[in-house]
Amino acid sequence: MPHPIAPRKMARHMRTVIAGLIALLPASQAWADCPDLALVLAIDASGSISAPEFGLQQGGYAAAFRSGAVQDALASAGRVDIAVVLWADTEMAPQTLGWQQVRSRVDADLLAKRIVEMPRLVTGNTGIGKGIWTALDLLTIYDACGSRRLVNVSGDGKESLLPRPRDHVPLAVARARADTMGITINGLAITMDDAGLADWYGDRVITGPGAFVMQVTGFDSFAAAIAAKLAREIRPQNLALGG
């Protein structure tokens, strides 16, 4: 009897096959299947985030995608594909909302609705590394594209240092993988309980060309901050730099 292929090996095999098939397509057809920007929103759902605070995060992202600033940035960016990861304790598999193609205001409104409707099924310690790793897994389907690829991480705490389960992904390992893949990680640090969190994000989380950290002192101003951050990272780089 043939030996069964382990799920993780099967997933890697399928990604390789897909990337190979895209590479074999004529350039015009392959590019038609690629977005101009692939963006993963990696959102903190760990135990330090209360239910009302988590609701403010969801509402903040939704309001951002309905805002004029973000919708104008989307309009200037061409095709934008967006996915969502809710991350928390590494003993829990992060939740994901699969890729959503955002080409219009209607698409942005639909994405906002889906973010608000995501149930929260994870909590516990702060597993930023596993959250980023999951985001990078999602981005592998665009390995054969020339697209910009970004991870947008928001959170209110540092990576937990308690003993971790076998499937724990250290933050440094996830960050190094992003560097190898050529993916930029940007951060939004919620500094209500840790005034030094933005500096820690700058040293330990963000990476890649043009990477940046923004900070917000509380959840009451989260919506405005995430809208400004999304508009900045979605807008094509030449426009963001005033070119």
Side-chain angles (χ1 to χ4, degrees), residues 121-147:
L121 304 177
V122 294
T123 188
N125 290 313
T126 307
I128 302 176
K130 189 168 183 179
I132 290 174
W133 192 270
T134 302
L136 298 177
D137 282 345
L138 290 170
L139 286 163
T140 58
I141 69 167
Y142 300 115
D143 281 349
C145 295
S147 313

Side-chain angles (χ1 to χ4, degrees), residues 180-191:
T180 299
M181 293 175 67
I183 290 171
T184 295
I185 301 174
N186 297 322
L188 175 62
I190 305 165
T191 61

Side-chain angles (χ1 to χ4, degrees), residues 10 28 31 34 46 48 53 56 114 146 159 201 210 213 221 226:
M10 177 64 80
S28 59
W31 184 251
C34 294
S46 63
S48 60
E53 289 168 345
L56 287 172
R114 287 175 174 164
E159 178 88 353
Y201 262 59
V213 179
S221 49
I226 200 63

